[in-house]
Amino acid sequence: MSDCLFCKIARGEIPCRKVYEDDEVLVFHDINPVAPVHFMLIPKLHLASLMQAEDVHAALLGKMLLLAPKLAKEQGLNDGFRTVINTGRGGGQEVFHFHIHVIGGGSIPPMVRRS
Ligand code: 5GP
Ligand code: ZN
């Protein structure tokens, strides 16, 4: 996808603060962090959201999920972290290239506020 923001980051056309990279996955810090540590894992292949994921993506998604705690620990999140996957407009997704947020450090509020 030539005009996809995260594809451009994956191709190195837009700079990022890289956390990890291999043939299939790129991990970089969020430009607008919501906590002291906030990075995102993306596949290098364009996958718009979790709604477009199919059986062929199972190994890649599993690899990304297993990478998250390793990188979280490397970033100092020894006490835990939050993973977030916003899916589709209904899920608040803003960049339509699948990504897993890893968020932690400081105090993490309850995920859903109940009044
Ligand atoms: P979403 O709401 O789609 O789950 O999250 C998209 C995330 O991408 C947001 O947290 C936003 O701060 C981040 N983001 C948007 N543009 C850029 C960018 O150019 N560079 C980086 N590193 N993060 C970005
Ligand atoms: Zn893309």
Side-chain angles (χ1 to χ4, degrees):
M1 285 280 284
S2 56
D3 60 347
C4 166
L5 176 64
F6 284 1
C7 281
K8 286 182 182 170
I9 290 178
R11 289 195 298 263
E13 293 168 14
I14 293 176
C16 68
R17 287 178 53 223
K18 197 182 296 180
V19 172
Y20 171 89
E21 181 172 19
D22 66 26
D23 288 351
E24 298 177 306
V25 179
L26 178 66
V27 183
F28 54 96
H29 292 282
D30 197 293
I31 204 167
N32 189 16
V34 299
V37 177
H38 182 176
F39 61 84
M40 295 178 283
L41 299 92
I42 70 167
K44 288 192 171 176
L45 70 82
H46 181 80
L47 176 65
S49 86
L50 198 55
M51 284 200 289
Q52 282 73 37
E54 298 183 4
D55 289 351
V56 69
H57 301 116
L60 176 61
L61 295 178
K63 172 180 171 171
M64 292 173 71
L65 214 47
L66 292 172
L67 200 48
K70 291 185 186 142
L71 298 177
K73 278 182 212 145
E74 282 178 22
Q75 294 294 314
L77 301 178
N78 297 305
D79 203 28
F81 55 90
R82 175 168 292 164
T83 44
V84 175
I85 302 173
N86 295 322
T87 302
R89 295 199 191 284
Q93 187 174 0
E94 292 178 340
V95 177
F96 284 83
H97 179 126
F98 173 74
H99 50 282
I100 303 173
H101 295 265
V102 173
I103 297 161
S107 70
I108 297 294
M111 193 175 70
V112 177
R113 290 191 190 283
R114 296 179 177 85
S115 53

